[in-house]
Amino acid sequence: MSSRVRLADVTPPIALGPLDGRYRAAVAPLVDHLSEAALNRERVHVEVEWLIHLAQHRVVPGAPTLTAADEAYLRDVVATFGPDEVAELAAIEKTTVHDVKAVEYFLKSRLAAAPEGSALRDVGELVHFACTSEDINNLSYALMVRGAVQDVWAPAAGALVDQVAALAHELRDQPMLALTHGQPATPTTLGKELAVLAHRLRRQLTRIAGDEYLGKLNGATGTYGAHVVAVPGADWPAVSKAFVEHLGLTWNPLTTQIESHDWQAELYADVARFNRVLHNLATDVWTYISRGVFIQIPVAGATGSSTMPHKVNPIRFENAEANLELSSALLDTLASTLVTSRLQRDLTDSTTQRNIGPAFGHSLLAIDNVARGLRALSVDTGLLARELDENWEVLGEPVQSAMRAASVAGVTGMENPYERLKELTRGRRLTAADMREFIGGLGLPDDVAARLAALTPASYTGLADTLVGYLDA
């Protein structure tokens, strides 16, 4: 047997996971926020802003004043952070064997290269001043996750919900036989059923939009120990609060060495709940396709089956289901793991948080698939009409309800309405003539009898069409 090529040695490297391989195009925007390179860029950002904050507010006596040009130089280090800088940091880390220390040395090298006469050449020891690694990491992750949610995931999720809502409005008047427990039930409209899902998804997006992103900067065990010894005259909690809020985050005043990650657990639970509602949409649409309610528009040149040429498989919704399940499993694990840290610190959160990207990546991929799948659907109105016309027994509900109301109003002969309709309809397939004959023999007031006689399964949709309007409330 001939030896095989070692794929692990191929250049450029082959992706191990599908998010960085097969599905890269759908999730690429998250790389700017949740990749390892993005983490290092945010670490540089936090270190730069901490240095500027200390200098601007003259927290450390004797520190030189930075000019606008100095601050611009520092912030340009972040703005120009790219592949060369990623490689440089990796080389430094090979020596330090510590990722945050590598960032400190990286930034100090940039200070040493500042223009001649710049005060930046004299502020090297303000880099990472009084910080533990987690002061930098927790703020970096908060900024990364906030950016990923607000700039990438939430816009995509919101656009999908708007797409579902628009489809609900379009189909608000399309009557459809409902199925409860898989059995024919009170008719609805296809639009109203989609509106239910759009409303559920929007509620989760509202919760996610209100979630907080917390941060801390308080030293090795959250006591400001080194801060107070180095500069006893500073109001360190106030300095910390001002800095965290300057970054646009919510200050956490009480922590161990790490920020407690409770905000992450809260956010991930909300995103996982959005995933699960979207999963419900995917399974419902899949079922409507299976029933023939939705027809998939074939894509030119596409193959549905390797052996059955007639097939157009609902792959977008099946792909979405799988990725939503993977995303929710990861988010659940993140949420349950991150809220626990032994005593003042352990490192379980370090490797755990490196999987935030895949958790959001699988969700974003699912959102993309559902959106594409919905765009390729049309409705078989003829099928819906036939199903309704074949199930006149569903009018047993309004007829017995009208009999109840007539009885309350004093009309005689309305006894046992439920039981009488049960005897007429249960286990039987009625025709329009059967139902109208029954209604005509009840002795209902003329106006009630006429209203029921005019009723059809297709017109028995209540307020379904108007309820779609609540999406706009």
Side-chain angles (χ1 to χ4, degrees), residues 409-433:
V411 178
T412 59
M414 299 294 116
E415 297 82 6
N416 304 315
Y418 177 85
E419 290 72 18
R420 289 160 71 180
L421 268 298
K422 177 181 175 182
E423 182 180 353
L424 174 71
T425 61
R426 194 170 193 188
R428 295 179 57 193
R429 185 61 60 83
L430 300 185
T431 66

Side-chain angles (χ1 to χ4, degrees), residues 321-365:
E321 286 181 47
N323 279 285
L324 290 167
E325 289 161 10
L326 286 167
S327 173
S328 296
L330 284 169
L331 290 167
D332 288 348
T333 299
L334 288 166
S336 63
T337 300
L338 289 175
V339 293
T340 299
S341 185
R342 292 173 183 85
L343 303 179
Q344 286 69 56
R345 173 70 167 124
D346 69 35
L347 266 176
T348 54
D349 65 336
S350 178
T351 190
T352 301
Q353 288 182 108
R354 283 183 162 88
N355 288 281
I356 297 170
F360 278 96
H362 285 293
S363 180
L364 187 64
L365 176 58

Side-chain angles (χ1 to χ4, degrees), residues 106-122:
F106 169 85
L107 186 53
K108 283 182 174 179
S109 73
R110 293 303 185 271
L111 295 179
E116 191 73 33
S118 168
L120 293 176
R121 294 190 170 208
D122 301 319

Side-chain angles (χ1 to χ4, degrees), residues 144-155 208 213 267 271 360:
M144 291 163 61
V145 175
R146 185 185 67 181
V149 171
Q150 295 182 355
D151 296 345
V152 180
W153 185 89
I208 291 165
Y213 300 83
L267 171 66
V271 175
F360 278 96

